[in-house]
Amino acid sequence: MQPVHKSQKLANVCYDIRGPVLEHAKKMEDEGHRIIKLNIGNPAPFGFFAPDELIEDVIANLPAASGYSDSKGLFAARKAIMHYAQQKHLPNVAMDDIIVGNGVSELIVMAMQALLDNGDEVLVPAPDYPLWTAAVSLAGGRAVHYVCDEEQGWFPSIDDIRAKITPSTRAIVIINPNNPTGAVYPPELLQQIVEVARQHQLIIYADEIYDKVLYDEVKHTSIASLAPDLFVVTFNGLSKNYRACGYRAGWLILSGEKKHAKDYIEGLNMLASMRLCANVPSQHAIQTALGGYQSIDDLVAPGGRLARQRDLAHKLLTEIPGVSCTKPQGALYLFPKLDPKVYPIADDQQFILELLQQEKVLLVQGTGFNWIAPDHFRVVFLPNSDDLIEAIGRVARFLESYRKRHGSAE
């Protein structure tokens, strides 16, 4: 029999959040080992559950949710999303400008498939949420990574963005609040990005899935609200703000000047129709989620569980010799740096695998987020305080042994 090979379109597609190290972790679990998993932002296993009123609405509407909905989503769900867009000051948004999807992940892939021809380029942040780079590659495009500057609070470098633009550049991706760094971009910086997009006629894709997961009274600004004359596609959903990852309820919003994008929008609508619709039961949670009590505010407020765990994880990590970390202002992650003089790492995936084997803690290496050097890793701070102390204690023990093995102990 001839071997069956995967498509060449997958040659540059990588998603290390659920990659080879996770496969090794699963084998270890099958052998009876207990693995502490800090690799994925999945709130439910750590006791963060969807609000009761969302669950109740899904249950109450389940008998009427057996059929397909409109390909763009239920009327009530899209109406609620439109009202939310108005609250965020997104310009020129009507019901037809909203598509509900099976999570934002499906919609990101759909948006790239509808846009890109072979060789088209999209500016994507480094580090990024790796699905963006994967979706661009899968659609035949080329992800060009602009650097976010750790010395400047992980804010995008405008100079680097400008330097990376070519005649093939079609769009720029903004992840704000950022995964994996937790940076939240101020309006002045967003305005500079808007000006670059304006000068070069770029589409702006804004991933705002963490727009309510904010600490220290930081405010979130939707970049679309600053760009009424540009075509902006904004992504959001229930997964993080409402701890409902498994519901797979996300949406995209088309805003701003859309006349010149009619053909692209037609392509998006075509792809939305081809998958018939997003799953209907979870769509019934959207109106209640957006219009109801925002319990996330309690979790991120000073003294709230997420805020406490962020502060604890940051303190524990930065107490380890040779480890530094910019404190995140949003999202669910820390992205600490390992001083290369103390930790001379050539292959950070191998480094993370050794950590897993030695201490049974699962993290994701920085290059898994398309970071440019093997000197970072991402930590999810969703576990409760006792588990965080245990997990980061194991990381500290591994790093101590690493320093001893490489002659860099302090």
Side-chain angles (χ1 to χ4, degrees), residues 130-184:
L131 178 67
W132 277 105
T133 295
V136 171
S137 297
L138 187 62
R142 177 172 172 258
V144 177
H145 293 99
Y146 63 86
V147 173
C148 297
D149 188 349
E150 188 169 14
E151 300 298 319
Q152 300 297 321
W154 286 114
F155 291 166
S157 166
I158 301 298
D159 289 341
D160 197 53
I161 290 172
R162 290 186 184 278
K164 299 286 174 64
I165 294 172
T166 74
S168 298
T169 308
R170 301 290 308 281
I172 182 169
V173 173
I174 306 298
I175 304 173
N176 177 40
N178 186 265
N179 173 9
T181 67
V184 180

Side-chain angles (χ1 to χ4, degrees), residues 391-407:
I392 297 174
R394 294 187 190 189
V395 172
R397 190 165 60 199
F398 174 76
L399 292 177
E400 181 181 12
S401 71
Y402 192 94
R403 293 194 303 274
K404 288 178 179 176
R405 290 201 311 273
H406 292 82

Side-chain angles (χ1 to χ4, degrees), residues 108-148:
I108 289 171
V109 173
M110 189 187 299
M112 294 298 100
Q113 292 284 352
L115 178 72
L116 298 175
D117 290 319
N118 291 343
D120 286 346
E121 295 177 355
V122 177
L123 292 166
V124 178
D128 73 337
Y129 176 59
L131 178 67
W132 277 105
T133 295
V136 171
S137 297
L138 187 62
R142 177 172 172 258
V144 177
H145 293 99
Y146 63 86
V147 173
C148 297

